[in-house]
Amino acid sequence: MDEQTLWAIHIAGSDDIVPAPSKDSAEREAAILNRYFASMSRRENAPTLRAAVVEWPYAALDHTKLLGRDWDKEGNRK
């Protein structure tokens, strides 16, 4: 993993992958999401949600496009 590594948050349970501007931002957001998921009441047969930091598995151009939609220039979620 180098400075060229693109980061994301994988939300297991819903299988969403959200790009993140940096590993630090991804770790911060994943921790926030996991606290929220832990506080939710679960319905029977509902999936367990868990956020984890992963390397972006798709094209770099897609990462760049999606970052502008979800994050501000300081690395905070919109």
Side-chain angles (χ1 to χ4, degrees):
M1 292 178 243
D2 54 39
E3 287 194 29
Q4 299 296 326
T5 301
L6 301 175
W7 296 101
I9 303 160
H10 176 241
I11 303 173
S14 65
D15 206 26
D16 290 325
I17 297 180
V18 180
S22 68
K23 186 176 183 183
D24 288 341
S25 294
E27 289 172 343
R28 198 169 48 246
E29 188 67 18
I32 291 167
L33 288 168
N34 286 327
R35 282 192 300 272
Y36 174 71
F37 297 152
S39 73
M40 293 174 28
S41 59
R42 284 195 56 222
R43 294 181 183 192
E44 187 176 343
N45 299 322
T48 299
L49 300 175
R50 179 89 181 133
V53 176
V54 297
E55 290 185 36
W56 179 251
Y58 306 115
L61 184 58
D62 293 334
H63 187 271
T64 302
K65 286 180 183 179
L66 293 171
L67 274 180
R69 182 191 70 184
D70 295 331
W71 297 84
D72 65 21
K73 292 180 181 178
E74 288 77 38
N76 300 307
R77 293 273 295 170
K78 289 183 178 177

